[in-house]
Every structure is written in C-alpha cells, then in structure tokens.
Amino acid sequence: MGQTLTNKILANHLVSGEMTPGEEISIGIDYTLTQDSTGTMAYLQFEALGIDKVRTKRSIAYIDHNMLQSGFENADDHNYIMSVANKHGIYASRPGNGICHQVNLERFGVPGATLLGSDSHTPTGGGIGMLAIGAGGLDVAVAMGGGPYHLTCPEVLNVELTGSLQPGVSAKDVILEVLRRLSVKGGVGKVIEYTGEGVKTLTVPERATITNMGAELGATTSIFPSDEETRKFLAAQGREEDYVPLAADPDAVYDDKIVIDLSELTPLAAKPHMPDNVETVKDIGPIKVDQVCIGSCTNSSYRDLMRVAAILKGKTVHPDTSLTISPGSKQVMNMLAQNGALSDMIDAGARILESACGPCIGMGQSPATDAVSVRTFNRNFYGRSGTPSANVYLVSPETAAVTALAGHLTDAPEALEDLSILDVDMPEEFVVNDNMIIPPAEDGSQVEVKRGPNIKPFPEHHALPNDIKAPVLLKMEDNITTDHIMPSNAKLLPYRSNIPYLAEFCLTPVDETFPERAKAAQSCFLVAGENYGQGSSREHAALAPLYLGVRGVIAKSFARIHMDNLINNGILPLTFVDPAAYDSVDLRDELEIDDLHADVRDKDTFIVKNLSKGATFEVKLAASPRQRSMLIAGGLLNYTRDQAQQSA
Ligand code: MIC
Ligand code: SF4
C-alpha cells in the first residue's frame, strides 16, 4: 500500500507512538519559528527550561506583528527578542524584514523537513513541501530545546486539483472554495494534502497561499508535493541545494478525498464574519467598499503584488475608498521598488505600509464605523480589524485591486478589459540580501538579555485540585475564536508579556463583564459550542483565562492548537458526551466534579454534577496519558519540572 507524502515525512521524523490516526505521536522538529506577539512568551518559557543553546537545525525569531511603536512596550519586546535570540543560538529577523511566513518561505523553507512555529499560519511552509505546523509558544520552546512535538496522528485528506485557473482567478479562490466545501472545522484532526495535474500549474507562493489558509479549516497542516516548480523557486532564491523531489506514492491511500477543477472556479469572497462564509463575488454583488487592504502572509508575494501593480498602473483609487498595500517581505518590497511597480502603486494613490502584519492583526488601519473593508487576508473574525461594527470580506489580490479602483466589490474578469495584464512571470532570480537576518553569537554566554519594564513573568500554574465546585460564567455558541477569547489589536498587542493586564480584556467581545465576574468568583467553568478556540495559536487565550480562575471549558468540540494550549496550561478541556447536554446547562449553574485526579488519570468519560439543576451529565476528556499527567501537575512547565526532579 502506497504512502501519502504526509505519512512519509511523519514516519521520517517519528520519535514515539504508532502512526494510527487519533493516537498521540511525537515527531522530531528540524526548524522552529516564532514571531514577536507570541515570541516574548515563548522565549520566557524557553529561558525557564534552562537550556543554553537551541538544539534544532535552525531556529528563527521574526519581528513582524507588534510594529506600531506608540509607546516603549513594543520596542522593549523587540529588544528582548533580539537579545534572547542572540544569546541562545537563534537567528533573528529584524523589524522591516517582513512577515514571518513569507520570509521563511523565501529564505528558509526546506522540502521534507519539519517546522514548528508559534503562529497558526506556519503551514504556509507546506507550499514548499515542508511539514509545517502551528503550535503554542510553550510547545515551540520545548522543540527549540530539542524535545519532540506531540500531536494527534492526523488523518490525511486529499484534495486533487485538476485543470488550470482562468485569468483573473487565483490561488486565494482555490482555498476559499475548499473552505466553502469543508467549513472552518472541516480540517480538524487532518492534514490536507494536494495532488493532481493542477498542482503543476501553481507556483510555490500560490501553493503557499493555499496551505496558509488551511489554518482556517482547523487542519493540523496542509502540504503540496515538491516538484520542478519547487526546484525553480529554490533556484531563483539561490538555494537550489535545498531541493529534493517529494510526492505521495501513486497508489497512496487517503482517508478522504475531494476533487477541485481549477478551470471551473470563479472569483470568490468570504463574507463577514467567518472565512468559510464564502460566495462568488458576482453573487454578493457591487456593494460599496470603504477600504481595501492588500497584504498579509496569505497574499503579499512578488507575483501577487506585481498583478496588483499591473491593475493599478495609470489609474486612480476610487475617491471614497482607501487602499493600503503591505508587501510581504523586504525582498518583495525591494523588487517592486527596483522594477518600478512600487511607483505604479504609489502613483495610483495606494498607501504603502511597511512589510509586516499590519492591519491583518488590527495594528492600524481600523476601518470607519460600519465600514465595508475588503482584504486579501485570511481572517475576518468579528472585531479583528479593530472596529467591531466593520464588515470584512476576504478576497484575492486581483479582486482587491479592481475593487479599490471601482469603489465597489467587483472582480478582475468583470472589471478588466484586458486580462493579459495579469500574466506576470515568476522571476528567474529573486533579489537576495539577508542583511536583516542577524545570526546568533558564537558564544552566547557573554550576551546580556535586555528586559525592559514591559517584560513581566508569566502567571503561576497550580496543580489540579481534586474537587472543583464552580459556576458557569459564560455560555457561548459555536466557532468562538481566539480573537474573542483574547482580543488583539494595536492597544492590546503591546501587552503580550503582561497577562494581568491582558486578562482585563479576556472574552470581553462575548461579554464585557466577564473579567470582573471571573475575578469575583475566583474559579469558574466556561461552556461553549463546536470548534471552541479556532484561529490564532496565542497561548494568551489560555493564560488569561487561567489568571482569571477558569478551571475548565466544557464544549461540543475544540480547535486543535487551543486545546493543546489549555492542557499545556492546566485548564481542563472537556467535551459533552451527549451534545444535547449543552442545552441543559445554563449561565450561573453551579457545577461540581469530585475525585478529579482519578478521573483525569484513568477515565475517558466522567460525571459532572449540575448542582443548580440537581442533575448530572457526562463529559469526555480526549487526552493522552502524558497530557493527563500534565493536567494534574498544572501544565507542561510544572510537568517538565516534576519529571526533571524525579529523574534527578
Ligand atoms: C493571527 O493571525 O491571529 C496571529 C496574530 O498571527 C496569531 C498569533 C498571535 O495571536 O499572536 C496566529 O495566527 O497564531
Ligand atoms: Fe500576521 Fe495576519 Fe499572517 Fe497572522 S495572519 S501572521 S497577523 S499576516
């Protein structure tokens, strides 16, 4: 029986466990990446592990998220990250060098290798045939220390691509189509593996657009084969030696399969407020658009922006529409500058932002009240733009550019007389200058780590009590995102290393009174629907609830990274055995679980008493033996420390 590409790479890196879907396995990690908004916490945790030098092939610390320096805080965080990287053998990508996933693809992606990143869009690396997984900072810290990464062995879902894209339709439309079919929870527990004749028609950055947004499917990761296109991309980056051809065996057996005929796709858009709320641009119709933002780790590569420049050339942005463009990397920005495309953008009236996440994470450019904002990004979760009343649509760069000129939603086949202006070749040589990537000190022992007043220690974790009696302080619906749990925007991102401050905003998009009520109650449960915690890898979505006394979340189902983050921080992630039991629990019900240690240690399901209703219901704990010990110890750091003490 032939093997999938996913299983080949997993098998090559397997450290423990049986490769049966659903079982816990652990794999060796070749490369890690962090970015600054999750990185401060990840490096504080790495320091707590007490390891001098990273033990990966290469670890890279990017600074790309917290770029607005409206106070000392972000600059303090940058100094901390640059110096801690220098000390511990980590390469550091300076602010201005670009968005982590774009730069990593250009300069460090290696087919067949494993990459663990403290950012949910790490699977961008799947575009180059890497097994690239997003995780919480603590998991990445452990991997930097040479420890394996534990994950649930995934199923492999095959997306076979046939045909080729019509002019004006692009990679973003492919992944929007996958989201339309599978939904934001359709990828949970799965790796999405792309095969078929259509693959050859897609360049590496286009493939990366597709794997990037596999994060929005909830997938463990997504991956493309490594083929002639991959070789050409690596050669053009001056890294042909990193090329290896890789593909699934022709007779590989997949757990599931869908087929997409690229030739049949038309431009699509995800409507507010979910990436799977997808319709054709045509069916949505010519709604008036106030803002267009082009960029993000999904759509800011050289060819994406060359097409945007071709559309804008000689035209003017609509008077009622603001257009921003953030090139994905210094390399992209520099090439656009050298060939004149940047000038075409500036001339048309685009507002050029630095190479960083920018508006994608609400770092500036929050739209006006009730505005419609059309973005090439990957997430349009409620409130994420920084303006709760705004309506955000996700589209391709081509759709975004023609929309910015028209002032209403439209697409390239509709708006352009001559679609051949979109024929942009991939460069034979990219402009390579890695002068903004700082190699670490040979001998880190003399390097002093700079800790400004913004760097606060992380909250203390306590061992699990044997009995918990606590009220339900929130009852939430399906698809609650980490942007609901721990909002991020220009005002809050500077406090990513200050949990007490962040906790004041925890879950406030759901209920503004939550932090206050949680502090008063001292300990509480949260109840939620399906796919709780989808979105970002931010551990802050577990650390802030922990700080506020959340003991357990009882949901219909969880998103992968958030569930790991809850366990890593000692918060119980429980699911309703009978989903109908969700209806029986109300806000403020007093719940009790007793003899918890025995339950957590040995049982898959156990009983929760609803004292307010005089009833009981059953919950499931889907955790490995290792995770159970972690929960009892009060999280991964306590567990690791206990293990170390025992072996000493
Ligand atoms: C995001 O896109 O939500 C982020 C900001 O990149 C996050 C990381 C974070 O919350 O810092 C992610 O995707 O993991
Ligand atoms: Fe940055 Fe947005 Fe990509 Fe997250 S999704 S890494 S905020 S560009």
Side-chain angles (χ1 to χ4, degrees), residues 327-380:
S329 66
K330 165 171 167 279
Q331 179 182 76
V332 171
M333 175 93 99
N334 200 8
M335 288 176 72
L336 299 177
Q338 288 184 8
N339 70 15
L342 189 61
S343 166
D344 295 334
M345 293 170 166
I346 295 169
D347 200 44
R351 302 165 65 179
I352 308 297
L353 307 181
E354 67 180 317
S355 292
C357 300
C360 180
I361 189 58
M363 275 302 211
Q365 304 300 329
S366 295
T369 307
D370 298 330
V372 169
S373 178
V374 168
R375 302 176 160 209
T376 66
F377 307 165
N378 46 38
R379 290 182 173 150
N380 56 349

Side-chain angles (χ1 to χ4, degrees), residues 28 30 150 169 205 207 229 256 289 389 460 566:
D30 300 319
H150 292 81
V169 184
R207 297 173 186 184
E229 270 302 319
D256 209 347
V289 172
S389 70
E460 228 182 300
L566 288 175

Side-chain angles (χ1 to χ4, degrees), residues 65 98 100 139 158-159 229 245 274 306 344 349 391 397 399 444 466 483 553 617 648:
H65 280 63
C100 55
D139 283 323
N158 179 212
V159 179
E229 270 302 319
M274 233 4 105
M306 284 303 291
D344 295 334
N391 284 308
T399 301
N466 200 30
D483 281 304
V553 182
F617 60 93

Side-chain angles (χ1 to χ4, degrees), residues 156-281:
V156 186
L157 184 152
N158 179 212
V159 179
E160 186 187 333
L161 301 177
T162 63
S164 59
L165 293 168
Q166 303 283 345
V169 184
S170 74
K172 182 63 154 282
D173 301 305
V174 179
I175 186 63
L176 288 174
E177 171 65 10
V178 180
L179 274 153
R180 190 183 70 77
R181 293 204 206 174
L182 298 181
S183 90
V184 288
K185 53 185 200 308
V188 176
K190 297 175 187 161
V191 172
I192 318 290
E193 192 169 309
Y194 290 85
T195 64
E197 284 301 300
V199 166
K200 290 192 199 128
T201 69
L202 300 171
T203 61
V204 166
E206 287 175 302
R207 297 173 186 184
T209 293
I210 295 171
T211 58
N212 169 282
M213 241 183 129
E216 276 56 67
L217 295 163
T220 303
T221 187
S222 304
I223 192 164
F224 273 81
S226 167
D227 58 8
E228 183 51 22
E229 270 302 319
T230 321
R231 189 198 61 73
K232 280 198 284 191
F233 178 80
L234 282 166
Q237 290 286 353
R239 304 199 286 122
E240 196 170 353
E241 69 281 2
D242 286 336
Y243 174 66
V244 273
L246 289 172
D249 293 330
D251 58 344
V253 180
Y254 290 94
D255 297 295
D256 209 347
K257 175 173 176 161
I258 60 172
V259 181
I260 294 180
D261 182 353
L262 298 177
S263 334
E264 280 181 0
L265 294 181
T266 57
L268 298 171
K271 299 185 295 177
H273 297 286
M274 233 4 105
D276 63 357
N277 192 10
V278 174
E279 230 183 289
T280 63
V281 169

Side-chain angles (χ1 to χ4, degrees), residues 23 25 96 100 150 212 252 281 326 353 375 392 451 538 550 569 572 616 630:
E23 294 297 306
I25 56 172
C100 55
H150 292 81
N212 169 282
V281 169
S326 332
L353 307 181
R375 302 176 160 209
V392 177
R451 274 172 240 275
R538 61 189 74 137
V550 175
N569 288 295
L572 290 166
T616 62
M630 263 161 47

Side-chain angles (χ1 to χ4, degrees), residues 2 88 98 272 303 462 478:
H88 294 289
R303 202 156 76 145
H462 298 287
D478 291 349

